């Protein structure tokens, strides 16, 4: 196959699917970002204590984490597309239901059920990208996907508080719920689980997608089998990396619950200033998502482990610095709400490529589901307990310091588990022939999988 022709053909169809996947993540995460930024408002309206805020916020994670693993298996077994349709329909209804919450109990139930439907997002999206991207491009586009996820936080921050001030926080959730409706139709009619099933896709583009994977015939012959999944879980690196994902970005849930809360209630800055600060510092991790692929290839030599460790290292140090030095609100926002999310593009932008490298893409949904389930399970523990870590005897942001110290230590613990796992290389070249040759050489020299 002529490489120039492949480059031309690849732009025609697969980016339609990727654009829809990116848009789905943006819209679904918009509800979560608005929920987070409006924490001071709905908690004040419902007259909740800090412990109730932490518990109600964690209820969403309690519903979320068991479904993540189930959704991963189902996306491998019956298709990612069906899981995403279920996610969008459920999230639309549950997002609107926030307008009718009137007590701690109804808030808890709403968040619990919302988390269940939200669980059908993560692994199916990663499965879609694993199937629609050649291996050498997975880290790059997974990081861009993560940037779209974080962009919803930036947009939610800049519009959430001003819009709530104008029309009420309840109506904000009604407006957000409408965003998912057109995407349901795009998902149904403009995506497929496998590239070769996409109407009108060229043979050249399919060949490009599978250029560093087994052929379509071989992939059809190697569809999901329980015996293969069982063998996969005998590898030590699968478990050490899964545990690493359980810690890797978990402390970021603390930002959603206590970020705007700290700026408004402890630093005593205005809602408008809070919105602007969170919006501006969000561009630190968002920008990184668009260059993650280049950073992995140029600075880490295509190796996954350094990239997976670098993000939690920076975020952990940022949390600890914010807690130990109690800076003014601008520096605090940069450290916690900006560099606290630094881990996301590096970690989640790389781990999908890691899973697709250590196993077949057909099992990436299951492994990503396991990763996300463990991450949210640990997140539930942290968020649920976090309300108890606030020191009422201390005035100002220092009252929240224990939250960020604990989060920083969790970030740093990730690095040990990452380096207990086998190294996987991401091939950064765009030349198909050289890619195949290089992949073979790496496979021949790769260390044993534990």
């Amino acid at each position: 196959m002529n490489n120039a022709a492949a480059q031309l053909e690849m732009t025609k169809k697969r980016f339609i699917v990727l654009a829809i996947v990116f848009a789905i993540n943006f819209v679904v995460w918009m509800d979560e970002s608005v929920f987070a930024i409006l924490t001071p408002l709905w908690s004040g309206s419902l007259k909740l204590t800090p412990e109730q805020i932490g518990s109600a916020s964690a209820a969403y994670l309690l519903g979320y984490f068991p479904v993540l693993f189930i959704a991963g298996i189902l996306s491998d077994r019956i298709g990612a597309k069906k899981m995403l349709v279920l996610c969008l329909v459920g999230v639309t209804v549950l997002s609107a239901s926030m307008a009718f919450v009137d007590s701690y109990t109804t808030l808890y139930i709403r968040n619990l059920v919302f988390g269940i439907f939200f669980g059908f997002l993560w692994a199916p999206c990663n499965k879609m990208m694993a199937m629609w991207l050649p291996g050498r491009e997975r880290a790059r586009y997974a990081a861009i996907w993560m940037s779209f996820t974080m962009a919803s936080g930036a947009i939610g921050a800049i519009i959430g508080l001003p819009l709530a001030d104008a029309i009420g926080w309840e109506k904000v959730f009604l407006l957000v719920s409408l965003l998912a409706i057109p995407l349901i139709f795009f998902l149904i009619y403009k995506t497929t689980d496998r590239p070769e099933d996409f109407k009108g896709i060229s043979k050249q583009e399919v060949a490009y997608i599978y250029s560093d994977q087994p052929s379509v015939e071989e992939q059809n012959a190697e569809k999901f089998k329980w015996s293969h999944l069982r063998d996969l879980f005998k590898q030590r690196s699968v478990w050490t990396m899964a545990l690493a994902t359980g810690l890797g970005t978990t402390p970021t849930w603390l930002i959603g619950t206590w970020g705007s809360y700290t700026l408004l209630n402890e630093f005593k800055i205005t809602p408008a200033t809070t919105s602007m600060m969170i919006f501006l510092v969000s561009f630190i991790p968002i920008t990184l998502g668009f260059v993650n692929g280049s950073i992995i290839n140029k600075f880490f030599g295509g190796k996954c482990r350094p990239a997976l460790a670098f993000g939690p290292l920076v975020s952990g140090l940022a949390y600890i610095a914010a807690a130990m030095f109690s800076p003014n609100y601008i520096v605090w926002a940069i450290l916690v709400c900006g560099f606290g999310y630094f881990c996301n593009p590096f970690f989640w932008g790389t781990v999908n490529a890691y899973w697709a490298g250590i196993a077949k893409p057909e099992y990436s949904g299951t492994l990503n589901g396991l990763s996300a389930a463990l991450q949210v399970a640990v997140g539930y523990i942290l968020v649920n307990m976090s309300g108890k870590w606030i020191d009422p005897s201390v005035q100002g942001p220092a009252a929240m310091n224990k939250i960020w110290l604990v989060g920083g230590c969790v970030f740093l613990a990730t690095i040990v588990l990452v380096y207990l796992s086998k190294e996987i290389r991401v091939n950064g070249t765009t030349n198909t022939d050289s890619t195949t040759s290089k992949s073979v050489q790496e496979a021949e020299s790769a260390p044993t999988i534990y």
Side-chain angles (χ1 to χ4, degrees):
M1 180 182 65
N2 182 274
N3 192 57
Q7 293 283 355
L8 177 64
E9 294 291 343
M10 76 175 184
T11 63
K12 289 188 176 181
K13 300 296 182 183
R14 68 182 180 136
F15 289 133
I16 295 174
V17 176
L18 291 177
I20 293 171
V21 170
F22 293 167
I24 289 171
N25 275 268
F26 177 85
V27 168
V28 173
W29 278 97
M30 178 63 75
D31 179 279
E32 178 58 24
S33 68
V34 168
F35 182 87
I37 194 67
L38 297 183
T39 296
L41 301 187
W42 54 255
S43 63
S45 177
L46 300 176
K47 297 180 172 59
L48 303 183
T49 66
E51 288 190 23
Q52 286 177 320
I53 295 171
S55 177
S57 298
Y60 143 71
L61 302 176
L62 185 61
Y64 189 27
F65 86 83
V67 179
L68 286 163
F69 184 52
I70 296 171
I73 295 176
L74 290 177
S75 65
D76 287 338
R77 186 72 175 170
I78 65 176
K81 179 177 175 178
K82 294 177 182 176
M83 299 300 99
L84 291 176
V85 171
L86 179 61
C87 172
L88 281 177
V89 172
V91 165
T92 299
V93 174
L94 269 298
S95 180
S97 72
M98 187 66 188
F100 305 100
V101 166
D102 59 2
S103 66
Y104 167 75
T105 301
T106 55
L107 175 66
Y108 191 97
I109 294 172
R110 179 266 179 191
N111 284 356
L112 181 68
V113 180
F114 178 86
I116 291 173
F117 284 100
F118 200 44
F120 290 98
L121 175 71
W122 190 272
C125 282
N126 278 282
K127 175 62 183 289
M128 277 277 207
M129 289 188 291
M131 296 304 297
W132 277 86
L133 290 167
R136 59 189 171 275
E137 292 186 353
R138 288 185 190 130
R140 175 188 175 191
Y141 285 103
I144 294 174
W145 164 73
M146 178 55 62
S147 287
F148 273 83
T149 298
M150 293 184 291
S152 66
I155 301 300
I158 199 66
I159 69 172
L161 287 171
L163 196 58
D165 186 54
I167 64 176
W169 63 264
E170 297 91 344
K171 292 180 181 178
V172 174
F173 286 94
L174 289 174
L175 290 176
V176 169
S177 68
L178 298 176
L179 298 176
I181 295 176
L183 284 175
I184 295 173
F185 294 96
F186 280 111
L187 178 63
I188 293 173
Y189 296 109
K190 290 294 183 180
T191 66
T192 59
D193 286 307
R194 303 179 71 87
E196 60 269 25
D197 297 329
F198 196 97
K199 184 177 180 181
I201 194 169
S202 67
K203 293 181 179 179
Q204 290 90 344
E205 187 172 357
V206 173
Y208 180 86
I209 293 170
Y210 289 123
S211 59
D212 55 2
Q213 301 178 35
S215 67
V216 174
E217 293 76 15
E218 290 173 321
Q219 293 225 9
N220 286 331
E222 291 290 341
K223 288 184 179 179
F224 185 93
K225 294 180 181 178
W226 289 107
S227 58
H228 290 175
L229 183 63
R230 183 188 65 242
D231 292 340
L232 189 61
F233 280 112
K234 293 179 181 179
Q235 298 180 22
R236 189 187 73 180
S237 290
V238 168
W239 287 107
T240 52
M241 186 56 72
L243 291 173
T245 60
L247 301 180
T249 60
T250 296
T252 59
W253 295 113
L254 297 170
I255 304 174
T257 303
W258 302 113
S260 65
Y261 181 95
T262 302
L263 290 169
L264 282 169
N265 294 349
E266 303 299 341
F267 281 105
K268 307 296 184 183
I269 64 175
T270 66
T273 304
T274 297
S275 295
M276 183 57 65
M277 283 303 308
I278 294 177
F279 174 75
L280 292 175
V281 301
S282 294
F283 284 93
I284 296 173
I286 289 172
T287 302
L288 287 170
F290 288 93
V291 297
N292 179 60
S294 298
I295 291 174
I296 291 175
N297 289 320
K298 292 181 180 179
F299 293 96
F300 298 129
K303 295 179 180 179
C304 285
R305 288 193 306 185
L308 287 165
F310 185 58
L313 174 64
V314 173
S315 294
L317 294 177
Y319 266 32
I320 293 171
M324 293 184 66
F325 301 107
S326 297
N328 64 53
Y329 78 88
I330 296 176
V331 177
W332 186 93
I334 292 172
L335 289 172
V336 173
C337 301
F339 284 100
Y341 282 120
F342 189 94
C343 62
N344 275 354
F346 278 101
F347 199 89
W348 292 117
T350 307
V351 78
N352 187 33
Y354 186 91
W355 288 138
I358 204 170
K360 293 182 176 70
E362 285 80 6
Y363 299 90
S364 60
T366 299
L367 293 174
N368 276 290
L370 175 64
S371 298
L374 290 172
Q375 191 256 7
V376 175
V378 178
Y380 169 77
I381 295 171
L382 286 180
V383 174
N384 190 48
M385 296 176 63
S386 61
K388 302 175 183 178
W389 298 336
I390 299 175
D391 188 350
S393 66
V394 177
Q395 297 296 317
M400 318 292 287
N401 281 353
K402 186 175 179 180
I403 292 175
W404 312 116
L405 284 173
V406 171
C409 291
V410 173
F411 272 133
L412 298 180
T414 305
I415 299 171
V416 177
L417 291 166
V418 166
Y419 277 95
L420 287 175
S421 306
K422 177 204 170 192
E423 182 65 89
I424 294 293
R425 287 180 178 269
V426 178
N427 190 350
T429 182
T430 57
N431 183 282
T432 304
D433 295 331
S434 63
T435 295
T436 304
S437 175
K438 185 175 180 180
S439 298
V440 170
Q441 292 173 3
E442 288 177 352
E444 291 174 348
S445 61
T448 303
I449 300 177
Y450 293 96

